[in-house]
Amino acid sequence: MNVFYEESGSFKVGAILADNTTSLQVEAAHGKRSKIKAASVLLRFDTPILSEFMNQAQKVADELDPDFLWECCGQDTEFESDTLAADYFGHTPNPVEAAATIILLHNAPMYFYKKGKGRYKAAPPDALKAAIASQEKKRQQAELKARYVEQLCSAVLPEEFKSITSNLLYNPDKNTIEWKALYDACVRMKLSVPRLLEKCGAITSSHDYHFNQFLWEHFPNGIDFSEINRQQDLNESHDLPIAEAAAFSIDDASTTEIDDAFSITPLKLGSFRIGIHIAAPALGIQPDSPLDMTAAKRLSTVYVPGRKITMLPDTAIDHYTLSENRMCPAVSLYLDVADDYTVTHIESRIEKINIAENLRHDTLETYFNENTLNENDLNHPFIEELRILWHFACKMETIRGKASDSKNDKIDYTFDVSDDHVAIRERRRGSPIDKVVSELMIYANTEWGKQLANANIAGIYRNQGNGKVKMSTSPAPHQGLGVAQYAWISSPMRRYVDLINQRQLIAMIRNETPPYTRESDSLLIAMRDFEIAHGFYSDFQRAMEHYWCLRWLIQENIQTINAQVIKENLVKFDHMPLVMRVPSLPNMAPDAYVKLEILDIDLLDRSLQVKFVQKLES
């Protein structure tokens, strides 16, 4: 005697070896013995032979029509499988027919609901219709997914993918059929998602891939300013006093947000007055205005090689930037300085000042550098004023306890990107140009921060202690700069915290109620959000500088390059700000020079593989 039984959702057959009423010992056709529950047995049979039973039952089950059987059985009552089999075959079913009917009922759960051992109930018409529609939808989706996978594996981007490529790259919905197809194709092709989409033509620029990812994460609504009425906010009063001096600015050639300028006015007995003039957007951009809310979202201008995302729209920048040959509103800090460069008097004013010229680094460096400082050549614009500022900057640097090292070998890098061609330029840090600008900005930010603190007016400070830098509404020393307090005020067109501090400073100078207190939500939220955003923006700038270093290596077809060991296997490449680990580097002392071979550059991953070649003489 043999049995047809159900085990773990599948049907099996076996010859009875022992029948213990509640359980049976059975042996399968291939010889495996099992113990099964008597309740699992659906029918007993002698013929056909055990090895042929399942094949014959499945063959009959394949010929059965579930639609016809569903129409044959009653819609409202449960039924036995044997009863339905008898109705269908027109006679008492033999074991093969009975098993085939059970198999069909089991494999058609849309049509028949299982209610117990051998008992079923027909699905309601509406439920069956919905289930069939769902099954058809799944079938169509499976076919669509298979088509997508085949196209992707053939390096063809499906038409449906073109409008959602950014979603698939940066924020995929993993429940969509497109993502599932892309994932399966990546597994089959053994490629990453960006690499496969690049093969399919969806990524035409590795630079845009990285830049658009940043925009997707931090500027989801885009980077234009179409959502605000740009002109309504620029409503500062026009009755500002006119400054007597003419000023000049010092900036990189690409700078449009000119925040600062300087002036020199001779006084009696060899003394003079230094003017530090800061652009004054806080005069016109009112708190909670549309333009202010936009700036509060952006928090800072984002700088990357070849482009930038400004905090303010071009119309506001054009209105407030300290452009040459025009009168510009400014918040000015005047320092009366003796002939030994000691500050004897300080005064702050809100005024309009004539910007005589915008000096640019590329032309200024040719006649204002370490070699020309002591020359008597006066043929260049503002050279005499620049020398005065240089001597003043050196004195201020010494007072801060940060006297410059004439052997300073730290290098700053600038990236010039034009038509996908990159040039990386080096400038030794601490050059006369750098020192003049940085020292005067440090002085202004330190002095105005002190004035705000002494007036008990809230401000946002950048403090540093024990190597940790943080932002706070409480003034505290900045050990790295060697000053008692440091408030960011000098870049109000490029940093939102500077704009907030400038509003407070203007209120102090005018003896008005400041717009913020130390408990103001807008001030505290701006400080917190700025610190987070500043970190993200700085990381992105470094990542894109790394990217353009890789582009330069490809562009110049560099095969080998020299590098300097920082520590262990960490090295810095010559003539670029590219730092990476070299696993093949042998143990060497810091500052040793080595030659490396370029093995592979991947612009999508921003990765570089190199191999140690040899140690070089310093």
Side-chain angles (χ1 to χ4, degrees), residues 5 17-18 41 52 186 260 268 299 340 365 386 407 418 475 576 589 607:
Y5 65 96
L17 300 178
V41 175
E52 296 179 1
C186 288
D260 51 79
K268 60 184 179 179
L299 294 162
D340 64 349
E365 282 179 329
L386 287 166
K407 296 183 179 180
S418 177
M576 63 176 66
S607 63

Side-chain angles (χ1 to χ4, degrees), residues 3-5 11-13 41-43 45 53-54 99 102-103:
V3 291
F4 172 72
Y5 65 96
F11 298 110
K12 299 179 180 180
V13 292
V41 175
L42 298 171
L43 60 88
F45 64 93
F53 184 87
M54 287 301 297
I102 293 174
I103 292 172

Side-chain angles (χ1 to χ4, degrees), residues 461-472:
Y461 297 84
R462 195 158 179 84
N463 307 331
Q464 184 189 45
N466 300 320
K468 295 182 178 179
V469 179
K470 67 175 183 178
M471 304 194 74
S472 173

Side-chain angles (χ1 to χ4, degrees), residues 520-531:
S520 295
D521 287 343
S522 52
L523 183 142
L524 297 174
I525 291 171
M527 181 179 68
R528 179 203 64 194
D529 290 351
F530 177 86
E531 196 156 25

